[in-house]
Amino acid sequence: MTVLSVISPLVLVAFIGFIAAKSQWMSKEQINTLSRFTFSLAIPAFLFFKMATAQFSDQINGSLFAAFYLPVLISYTIAYLFNHAILAGDQKHRAASAVFALGSSYSNTVIVGLPVLLMVFGEQVIAIIFLVISFHSAMLFGLTSALASASGGFNWQSFIRQTLSNPLILSISTGLAFNLLAIPIPEFLSETLVLMGKPAITLALFILGASLSYYKIRQTLGHTLAASLCKLVLLPALVYMCAAGIFMLQPVTVTVLVILSACSTGVNAYLIALQQQQHQETVASTVVVSTLVSVVTIPLWLWFLGAA
């Protein structure tokens, strides 16, 4: 399987979504409705079923998490300090730096990383993928909210409530519970979940492309390029050094971790930016730029890792 054969179908689906929205063949209201179905029903059904039926065996170990999350925290810290230095005179620099750090380190693991890795390796790596992304949003969103809190009074109850109400996090955590407790899923429910989940990845890529037509690259080019460089180059390089050089994980596991970290910035980072009222244009631009550039960088990482 060549790099082109892995990436081109995914890019084409996203491009079709972009054209559908840009040409107004589908209105923004229609895209929003489709997005709500995709992220509230189709993807959660897909994630829950795959998580509940995944064969984890001996794949759960501290090295796996450390090889991914230590570089994520290092990249987050570097981006935070970079923005803090740039905005040293701004009274709100802590919140702005936290949001910028999130945009520089939060990966679009479900919409970009998952379909790429499934096309390269098939479902043999799905357990590793879900183990990694299970804590991805919760950790980075919680860290950003805590750092952005002006008074230092982080509301854990509000954070836990918001986290558990997220359909993606809820479906993964519930599926993990079913898996670990060996709770059987009735056949009729399994078939229903499979049917609901079948279009999930295609719809997610379509909506990703459509969403790009609504974002603009504003006058934040410097920050956008810095965030994109951190996200697409620095973070996966650190993950590779940790996974292959320090923890000496299996080549397949190394590739999975690197590609998950090399994904473009996730759209949810923009929602956090809106919530914090910091770096909205920067994060939106980073989503666009990193997504477009990742069409080149992800194949390069796959080539470097010898996976395609």
Side-chain angles (χ1 to χ4, degrees):
M1 182 177 292
T2 65
V3 171
L4 184 60
S5 66
V6 170
I7 298 297
S8 56
L10 309 179
V11 174
L12 184 56
V13 172
F15 180 71
I16 292 172
F18 177 84
I19 294 299
K22 195 70 174 177
S23 65
Q24 297 186 344
W25 183 74
M26 292 185 70
S27 67
K28 191 169 185 179
E29 290 73 22
Q30 290 174 318
I31 295 294
N32 288 340
T33 301
L34 186 60
S35 178
R36 185 172 183 180
F37 165 77
T38 301
F39 292 102
S40 297
L41 292 174
I43 290 181
F46 174 83
L47 294 177
F48 169 80
F49 182 72
K50 294 299 183 183
M51 195 71 172
T53 57
Q55 299 296 320
F56 290 118
S57 62
D58 59 348
Q59 296 181 48
I60 301 179
N61 62 77
S63 297
L64 180 72
F65 292 101
F68 183 82
Y69 283 110
L70 283 178
V72 168
L73 291 174
I74 292 171
S75 296
Y76 188 100
T77 302
I78 291 173
Y80 182 95
L81 293 175
F82 170 81
N83 191 82
H84 182 84
I86 296 296
L87 299 180
D90 189 338
Q91 294 301 312
K92 298 181 180 180
H93 61 76
R94 182 168 64 175
S97 296
V99 170
F100 177 77
L102 178 67
S104 304
S105 56
Y106 179 69
S107 299
N108 202 340
T109 53
V110 174
I111 302 177
V112 177
L114 181 59
V116 169
L117 290 169
L118 287 179
M119 289 196 71
V120 175
F121 295 111
E123 296 199 357
Q124 63 171 318
V125 297
I126 205 162
I128 302 175
I129 297 171
F130 286 161
L131 281 173
V132 172
I133 67 177
S134 295
F135 307 100
H136 185 237
S137 295
M139 186 191 79
L140 288 177
F141 291 171
L143 178 60
T144 300
S145 298
L147 291 173
S149 176
S151 63
F154 180 56
N155 190 331
W156 279 105
Q157 291 182 342
S158 176
F159 167 68
I160 292 173
R161 185 168 58 252
Q162 292 176 9
T163 298
L164 293 179
S165 64
N166 184 310
L168 302 183
I169 296 175
L170 183 61
S171 60
I172 291 175
S173 58
T174 306
L176 178 61
F178 268 67
N179 193 309
L180 296 179
L181 296 174
I183 301 175
I185 302 176
E187 184 177 353
F188 78 93
L189 182 56
S190 295
E191 293 177 356
T192 301
L193 291 170
V194 170
L195 285 174
M196 287 287 292
K198 271 187 177 181
I201 298 301
T202 302
L203 287 174
L205 290 168
F206 181 90
I207 292 167
L208 174 63
S211 299
L212 293 180
S213 69
Y214 303 129
Y215 295 129
K216 306 293 182 182
I217 301 177
R218 307 284 186 179
Q219 297 176 354
T220 57
L221 187 58
H223 269 73
T224 298
L225 292 177
S228 298
L229 182 66
C230 183
K231 183 69 207 62
L232 301 177
V233 179
L234 176 62
L235 177 55
L238 291 174
V239 169
Y240 174 74
M241 287 188 287
C242 283
I246 297 177
F247 296 104
M248 294 179 286
L249 300 177
Q250 295 295 321
V252 171
T253 303
V254 172
T255 300
V256 170
L257 297 183
V258 171
I259 296 304
L260 288 176
S261 66
C263 295
S264 54
T265 298
V267 178
N268 284 340
Y270 177 63
L271 302 181
I272 301 298
L274 287 177
Q275 182 185 67
Q276 297 295 335
Q277 291 296 296
Q278 299 289 341
H279 274 313
Q280 300 97 306
E281 293 183 352
T282 298
V283 176
S285 298
T286 302
V287 170
V288 176
V289 171
S290 64
T291 300
L292 295 175
V293 176
S294 68
V295 175
V296 176
T297 55
I298 288 179
L300 287 176
W301 280 112
L302 287 171
W303 172 80
F304 173 75
L305 295 164

